[in-house]
């Protein structure tokens, strides 16, 4: 992977904030009797090249926070600044492009297009950027080979195992070289060996490309593979655990 | 789990999936609406048609007349009739005369005036005033020999606004006879010359009765008191008989309009009369019976057409319902997996789905019934506009059967279309369903399918073997002759329809299904294509027997073949589309998603475009038909030195010292380049001028069946050859095409003769016609049906109406006289479809001194082609006759006989052969003019030329009336193009009627798209979330949704256009016409389909693009 090697030299990059969140609130069914206050005044700063885990009990607002960061959902209050851009100022169209260029998503259920083959799934974000289809196809193949999927390029998602599907999802998230990769329980559907493989992959990406990773997980072991762990409860950050953690070496 | 749990599951899913159920109910509703609508329209049409025919008969069941045309019945006959029909509720005498009438400048050359007794039996109905609706007492109104009543229809035709008393002029031919006697200077013979005086009487209209009301009023146009009409009539009679009655009308029951008489009972009564009354003295006539059979013929034809079309449109409804059912099942594969996982058995799954379907079917059936009633009502109203004449009352007829049928059909539709998806659902692989894996299609077939395939192959082979093997009247398919008749093709198509699918099923056991289906689809498509494109043009010479069933089979195979072919190859087609789109900036993402979506839901996509394929095939076929017809006529007209206008005068032009009507016409408009004048004559009531079709000199001669009131015309050499002296000269004045030719003209039997060849043959024939020494043998042919005693119109051979018909007389014996010599006669040509080629006829040349006609025998040697415009202007028969409002002119319909100059001069009605008579005329006293102009044939300016001619002739004390000092001249100028158009009008009317059904198919297509688009969006919420998450802008999400619909619509359209053109090539070949593709119409269809797709997709698409991605991603179906 050419892009990865070129960035290896920047491994010891200076710490600068890539994501700054201030006073974030999210209310569902606002103003109605069944209103849910999912995020309650949250502040958070993530630096470039950080690998961060978010943990907390079910319903504490982890996924909601991740969706806010990825702008898959609208915030009720507060600011989110990514790469020094206050996203509140962006129109929907600009936001879509911003998301396409700066944020990569990896989901628990992979969210691959079931009717597209592995390579087609991966190349789609490049096509959206307007890149020539031939070039996009080559890059997608390259990254899939890099991730050990060289012999599964033309398989449909339903013909792949969970781990393989997640690799395709990772490839799709990486292909636009986004500044931040967001993972919502990315290993939640995988067995422990496959999970370890995927986490290993994440760390390699993080170290080689200096890409920022934000993962939501229930799994302590997964969380410990990150640089630090942010604990949430009731829509707020309750505490931050700084790594490195012992299990990292085991892996 | 049993029925109870199935009910529970069905109830839950019915309630939870309200929108989805709604679409299924909507689909069934549309299907049932169509079915009910078709049934109601057919019933209504039949009823309206029959009613409109029967209404003109009033309460009359049959009539008894003198067998001799114009002959009288007397009071003694009344006794006979009443003795024979003791059950008759009423018998009334009637005297009818055809007279020319003039009102202001309005003129009608032949209006029937009826004399009825003022105290006629009340069983025949009552006259009602057209404005007030009050009963009219004709005793008080018809008080003398100048008072008459008008029918409201006639009044409206003449533009009368109110019930006024006004004078009309009626010309009656009085026997005001003076005889001048001359002595021939050379022979010394005495030549008596009778001179007839023509007089005109003024009658006053004293009342107008309502002719749209059933009963006696609808039967008559002009009514006079019997005794007074008898007085006028007696003036034409040598013996001055004043008690002449043309016929006695018999009513067997009253109130026919409410309850129609039993056809069989009426037939019995008529048979009884025919058996009891001597046939050479009386003629028994029941128009009512004729109408019953006419209505039956027309309706059988029309309802087969409707049924065929309805069936095909119905298919689209079934496709839609299947599609919706399929989606329902696909949609809940996961749910089905869960149900199976928790222990529901297969039967339970099928049960719960079928219970849902029954419920949807019942609701759909009920709504469909309501929709169908509305549809039927709307169509009925449209029918009035289309065929209505004011008197045609169209009441929607709803039979009880339809109501019950609607609901049953609804339920059946629900179940039948749901059963395959239900079975498919019950067979889901539980694990696959839970994991969301779609069952792959490319599997090989099982044994059952192979066995079924073998059965189909056997069936197909048997059908093919019918030709030449089981049925020896046809040829086997391995012979060239085995492909040249319609009957052979019927079996070929049926055979292909069974054999190829069978082969496909068997092959799919051994090769991939895709390949097998490709072979089947291609072969299935090819068979009817060969029929339409090649066979109909080249191989099949005789298209009689071309019936609806073979068209339905052919069209169905074309549609199924083409749809299957595209469906099987959808992935490659979609790949091609993808490669195209990903090259376009801004559509790369769309290109990645939309085509893949289409080919991933192959069945659903296929069902969607199949709807449009069916509808568009029908639409394009219908759209191509009319312009192809029209153009074939117009093109020939243009290339044949065409006539643009026809002018006819009500009587021969006046002999003027300084000018002629012909010269005046040239002066009227500088664009008039050539006027060809003709002399014509129609013996309205004068049977001494009727043509005889049996020799008047033999005892076989029977005036009632041997005399025909046909018109005559003279055609002289300079009228059509101009300066040209022989057939090879190109400088002919006018190209009169013939469709049948005299002996001595060698004609090819092939029906595929070019117009040039026909013209050459026609010119040679005209040369023979103008040769006074040419004679042609008479052949053993006869006018069958039209003049047979029962006048069974169903037997009339209409296939020779126009168009070249090959060597008709091959194998027909020539007539010989008592010495064994072939009978040869001078020749006449005709434009009548009832006189067969080779027939010997007798034309009264002039009258003996005692008033008896002197007959001359002729052979019918040629027929003007009524199809090619070259022969068209003179041939006045028009298909529109049956439906044209009011005046259905039988005499106009049976056509004219044309004599050459020599023989025309021997008559006393086209010339003055025997001195002055009331009808004889000078050599240049013309009454019929064909006009050529420098305008194009369809130039609207021609209308103003026509108007100028009519103004010049028809204005009192001005123009021609001033020149001739006669205000009784009327010209009617017709633009030929409008005449051509009017013959096509009926076709157009029927086509536009059929278009209603086709349009309804488009509605089904549109609804189908809307349903699919709504479902697509709700079902693909999650995928839409993914698209948004990885950076699809809203516009591209929206375009993806729309593109899918547009692509499916356009695939359907393209299939439809190709199929439509293929089928139309067949029709065009049949008529030897050039195929005209109405690109504008096709453009409109393209626009329409795109519009439907955009409209159907817009709201769901907008909705889809606005779902917050996070919410969409949570969706699990």
């Amino acid at each position: 992977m050419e892009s990865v090697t070129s960035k290896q030299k920047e491994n010891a990059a200076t710490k600068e904030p890539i994501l700054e969140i201030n006073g974030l609130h999210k209310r569902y069914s606002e103003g109605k009797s069944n209103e849910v206050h999912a995020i309650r005044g949250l502040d958070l700063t993530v630096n470039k090249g950080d690998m961060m885990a978010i943990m907390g009990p079910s319903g504490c607002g982890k996924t909601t926070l991740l969706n806010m960061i990825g702008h898959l959902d609208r915030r009720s209050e507060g600011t989110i600044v990514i790469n020094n851009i206050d996203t509140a100022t962006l129109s929907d169209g600009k936001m879509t492009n911003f998301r396409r260029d700066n944020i990569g998503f990896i989901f628990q259920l992979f969210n691959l297009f079931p009717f597209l083959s592995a390579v087609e799934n991966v190349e789609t974000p490049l096509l959206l950027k307007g890149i020539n289809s031939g070039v996009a196809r080559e890059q997608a193949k390259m990254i899939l080979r890099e991730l050990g999927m060289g012999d599964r390029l033309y398989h449909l998602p339903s013909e792949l195992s969970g781990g393989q599907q997640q690799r395709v999802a990772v490839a799709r998230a990486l292909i636009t070289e986004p500044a931040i990769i967001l993972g919502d329980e990315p290993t939640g559907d995988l067995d422990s060996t496959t999970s370890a493989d995927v986490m290993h992959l994440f760390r390699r990406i993080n170290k080689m490309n200096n890409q920022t990773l934000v993962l939501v997980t229930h799994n302590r072991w997964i969380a410990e593979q990150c640089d630090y762990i942010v604990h949430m409860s009731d829509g707020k950050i309750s505490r931050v655990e700084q790594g490195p953690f012992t299990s990292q070496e085991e892996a | 789990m049993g029925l109870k749990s199935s009910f529970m599951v069905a109830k839950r899913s019915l309630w939870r999936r309200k929108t989805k159920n709604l679409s299924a109910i909507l689909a069934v509703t549309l299907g049932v609406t169509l079915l009910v609508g078709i049934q109601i329209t057919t019933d209504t049409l039949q009823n309206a048609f029959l009613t409109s025919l029967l209404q003109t008969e009033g309460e009359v069941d049959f009539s008894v007349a003198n067998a001799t045309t114009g002959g009288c019945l007397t009071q003694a006959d009344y006794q006979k009739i009443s003795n024979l029909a003791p059950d008759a509720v009423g018998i009334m005498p009637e005297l009818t005369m055809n007279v020319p009438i003039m009102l202001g400048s309005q003129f009608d050359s032949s209006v029937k005036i009826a004399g009825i007794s003022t105290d006629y039996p009340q069983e025949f109905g009552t006259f009602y005033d057209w404005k007030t609706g009050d009963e009219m007492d004709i005793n008080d109104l018809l008080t003398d020999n100048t008072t008459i009543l008008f029918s409201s229809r006639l009044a409206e035709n003449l533009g009368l606004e109110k019930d006024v008393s006004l004078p009309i002029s009626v010309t009656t031919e009085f026997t005001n006879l003076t005889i001048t006697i001359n002595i021939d200077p050379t022979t010394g013979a005495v030549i008596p010359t009778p001179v007839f005086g023509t007089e005109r009487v003024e009658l006053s209209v004293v009342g107008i009765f309502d002719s749209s009301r059933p009963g006696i009023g609808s039967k008559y146009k002009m009514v006079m008191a019997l005794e007074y009409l008898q007085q006028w009539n007696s003036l034409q009679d040598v013996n001055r008989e004043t008690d002449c009655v043309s016929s006695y009308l018999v009513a067997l029951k009253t109130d026919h309009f409410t309850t129609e008489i039993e056809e069989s009972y009426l037939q019995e009564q008529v048979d009884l009369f025919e058996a009891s009354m001597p046939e050479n003295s009386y003629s028994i006539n029941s128009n009512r019976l004729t109408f019953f059979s006419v209505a039956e013929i027309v309706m059988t034809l029309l309802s087969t057409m409707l049924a065929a079309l309805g069936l095909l449109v119905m298919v689209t409804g079934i496709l839609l319902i299947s599609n919706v059912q399929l989606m329902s099942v696909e949609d809940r594969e996961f749910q089905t997996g869960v149900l199976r996982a928790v222990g529901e058995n297969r039967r339970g799954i099928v049960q719960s789905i079928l219970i849902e379907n029954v419920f949807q079917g019942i609701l759909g059936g009920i709504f469909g019934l309501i929709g169908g009633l509305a549809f039927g009502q709307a169509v009925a109203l449209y029918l009035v506009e289309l065929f209505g004449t004011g008197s045609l009352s169209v009441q929607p007829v709803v039979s009880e059967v339809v109501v019950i049928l609607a609901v049953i059909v609804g339920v059946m539709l629900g179940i039948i279309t749901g059963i395959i998806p239900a079975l498919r659902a019950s067979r889901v692989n539980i694990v696959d369903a839970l994991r969301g894996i779609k069952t792959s299609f490319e599997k090989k077939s099982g044994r059952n399918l192979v066995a079924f395939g073998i059965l189909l192959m056997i069936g197909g082979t048997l059908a093919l073997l019918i030709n030449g093997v089981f049925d020896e009247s046809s040829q086997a398919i391995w012979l060239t002759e085995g492909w040249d008749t319609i009957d052979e093709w019927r079996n070929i198509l049926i055979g292909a329809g069974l054999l190829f699918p069978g082969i496909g099923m068997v092959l799919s056991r051994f090769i991939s299904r895709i390949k097998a289906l490709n072979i089947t689809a291609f072969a299935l498509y090819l068979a009817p294509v060969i029929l339409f494109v090649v066979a109909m043009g080249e191989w099949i010479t005789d298209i009689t027997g071309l019936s609806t069933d073979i068209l339905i089979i052919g069209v169905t195979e074309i549609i199924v073949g083409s749809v299957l072919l595209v469906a099987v190859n959808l992935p490659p087609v979609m790949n091609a589309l993808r490669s195209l789109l990903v090259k376009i900036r801004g559509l790369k993402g769309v290109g990645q998603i939309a085509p893949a979506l289409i080919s991933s839901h192959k069945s659903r996509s296929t069902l969607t475009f199949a709807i449009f394929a069916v509808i568009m095939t029908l639409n394009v076929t219908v759209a191509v038909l009319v312009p192809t017809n029209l153009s074939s006529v117009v093109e020939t007209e243009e290339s044949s030195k065409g006539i643009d206008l026809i002018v006819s005068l009500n009587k021969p032009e006046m002999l003027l010292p300084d000018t002629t009507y012909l010269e005046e016409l040239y002066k009227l408009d500088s664009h008039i380049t050539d006027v060809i004048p003709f002399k014509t004559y129609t013996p309205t009531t004068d049977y001494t001028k009727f043509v005889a079709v049996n020799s008047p000199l033999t005892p076989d001669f029977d005036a009632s069946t041997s005399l025909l009131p046909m018109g005559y015309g003279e055609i002289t050499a300079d009228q059509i050859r101009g300066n040209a002296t022989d057939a090879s000269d190109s400088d002919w004045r006018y190209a009169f095409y013939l469709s049948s030719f005299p002996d001595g003209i060698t004609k090819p039997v092939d029906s595929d003769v070019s117009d040039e060849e026909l013209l050459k043959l026609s010119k040679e024939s005209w040369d023979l016609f103008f040769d006074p020494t040419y004679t042609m043998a008479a052949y053993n042919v006869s006018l069958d049906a039209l003049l047979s005693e029962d006048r069974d119109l169903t037997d009339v051979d209409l296939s020779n109406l126009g168009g070249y018909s090959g060597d008709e007389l091959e194998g027909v014996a020539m007539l010989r006289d008592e010495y064994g010599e072939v009978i040869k006669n001078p020749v006449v040509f005709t434009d009548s479809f009832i006189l067969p080629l080779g027939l010997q006829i007798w034309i009264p040349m002039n009258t003996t001194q005692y008033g008896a006609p002197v007959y001359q025998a002729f052979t019918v040697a040629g027929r003007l082609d009524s199809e090619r415009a070259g022969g068209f202007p003179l041939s006045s028969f028009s298909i529109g006759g049956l439906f044209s409002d009011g005046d259905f002119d039988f005499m106009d319909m049976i056509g004219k006989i044309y004599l050459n100059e020599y023989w025309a001069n021997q008559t006393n009605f086209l010339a003055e052969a025997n001195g002055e008579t009331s009808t004889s005329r000078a050599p240049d006293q013309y009454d019929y003019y064909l006009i050529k102009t420098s305008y194009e044939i369809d130039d609207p300016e021609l209308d103003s030329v026509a108007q100028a001619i009519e103004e010049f002739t028809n204005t009192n004390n001005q123009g021609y009336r001033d020149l001739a000092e006669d205000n009784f001249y009327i010209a009617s100028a017709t633009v030929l193009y409008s005449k051509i158009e009017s013959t096509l009008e009926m076709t157009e009317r029927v086509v536009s009627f059929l278009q209603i059904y086709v349009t309804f198919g488009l509605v089904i297509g549109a609804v189908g798209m809307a349903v699919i688009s709504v479902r697509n969006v709700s079902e693909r919420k999650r995928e839409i979330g993914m698209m948004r998450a990885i950076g699809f802008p809203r516009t591209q999400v929206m375009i993806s949704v729309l593109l899918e619909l547009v692509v499916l619509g356009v695939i359907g359209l393209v299939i439809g256009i190709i199929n439509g053109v293929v089928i139309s090539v067949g029709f065009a070949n049949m008529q030897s016409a050039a195929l005209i593709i109405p690109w504008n119409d096709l453009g409109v269809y393209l626009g329409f389909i795109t519009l439907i797709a955009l409209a159907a997709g817009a709201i769901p698409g907008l909705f889809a693009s606005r779902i917050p991605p996070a919410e969409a991603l949570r969706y699990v179906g």
Side-chain angles (χ1 to χ4, degrees), chain A residues 67 72-74 92 96 99-100 105 107 109 111-116 120 123-124 127-128 130-133 137 158 160 172, chain B residues 435 437 578 582 585 588-589 592-593 596-597 600 1022-1023 1026-1034 1036 1106 1108-1110 1113-1114:
Chain A
N67 285 344
L72 294 181
D73 215 343
R74 296 182 190 93
D92 184 80
T96 304
R99 183 164 63 225
R100 184 190 68 204
F105 283 99
F107 302 92
L109 294 173
N111 279 341
L112 297 172
F113 293 109
F115 46 85
L116 295 183
E120 285 170 339
E123 73 189 357
T124 305
L127 292 176
L128 285 170
I131 287 167
N132 177 293
S133 60
R137 177 60 60 99
S158 59
L160 299 172
R172 186 176 67 183
Chain B
R435 284 188 62 188
I437 296 174
R578 178 196 177 274
V582 292
R585 206 170 177 82
K588 288 178 194 282
Q592 184 81 332
I593 298 290
L597 266 177
S600 75
R1022 195 179 168 79
E1023 283 149 21
M1026 291 180 215
M1027 287 165 77
R1028 296 283 283 137
I1030 65 166
F1032 271 80
R1034 278 185 182 165
Q1036 290 208 25
R1106 293 198 174 273
L1113 285 170
R1114 274 196 294 274

Side-chain angles (χ1 to χ4, degrees), chain A residues 197-214:
Chain A
D197 281 353
V198 171
M199 281 318 292
H200 184 72
L201 184 64
F202 282 160
R203 288 196 54 168
R204 212 176 83 198
I205 294 159
N206 173 250
K207 294 294 168 277
M208 287 183 350
N209 298 11
N210 199 29
Q211 273 169 312
T212 310
L213 263 97
V214 177

Side-chain angles (χ1 to χ4, degrees), chain B residues 226-293:
Chain B
L226 179 63
E227 48 184 307
Y228 300 122
L229 192 65
Q230 281 171 332
Q231 287 175 10
W232 291 121
N233 189 58
S234 71
L235 298 175
Q236 294 187 353
D237 183 63
V238 195
N239 301 324
R240 293 284 193 270
E241 289 282 0
T242 53
D243 59 352
C244 180
V245 167
S246 331
S247 53
Y248 282 100
L249 310 179
V250 182
L252 294 170
K253 68 185 288 295
T254 56
D255 219 5
H256 284 78
F257 192 71
T258 334
T259 4
E260 192 44 65
I261 191 166
E262 278 287 322
E263 193 182 341
S264 54
Y265 172 65
L266 178 54
Q267 184 69 59
E268 232 170 69
Q269 292 292 313
V270 171
D271 289 347
L272 173 76
F273 266 77
E274 279 178 342
S276 320
M277 303 192 82
E279 61 179 82
N280 46 9
S281 315
Y282 298 98
S283 107
I284 319 295
N285 191 2
S286 174
N287 286 338
R288 200 171 283 276
L289 274 180
T290 314
F291 289 155
F292 278 134
S293 63

Side-chain angles (χ1 to χ4, degrees), chain B residues 968-1031:
Chain B
F968 198 40
Y969 270 104
I970 315 279
S972 63
T974 314
V975 176
L976 185 67
Y977 187 71
S978 71
K979 208 172 173 188
I980 295 172
E981 274 186 326
S982 73
T983 59
L984 289 173
E985 205 175 307
M986 191 58 206
T987 323
E988 276 174 8
R989 282 181 185 179
V990 172
V991 163
S992 70
F993 177 59
L994 298 183
Q995 207 98 39
I996 304 177
Y997 289 89
V998 179
T999 310
F1000 195 80
L1002 273 183
V1003 173
I1004 292 186
V1007 171
M1009 273 203 172
V1011 168
I1012 289 159
S1013 116
V1014 169
R1015 288 217 158 187
N1016 277 355
V1017 168
S1018 68
E1019 227 173 77
R1020 293 183 191 152
K1021 251 190 185 168
R1022 195 179 168 79
E1023 283 149 21
I1024 289 164
M1026 291 180 215
M1027 287 165 77
R1028 296 283 283 137
I1030 65 166

Side-chain angles (χ1 to χ4, degrees), chain B residues 439-451:
Chain B
T439 328
S440 170
F441 183 62
E442 291 175 49
K443 278 192 304 189
K444 292 187 175 163
S445 305
R447 270 188 213 150
N448 288 345
L449 198 67
V450 173

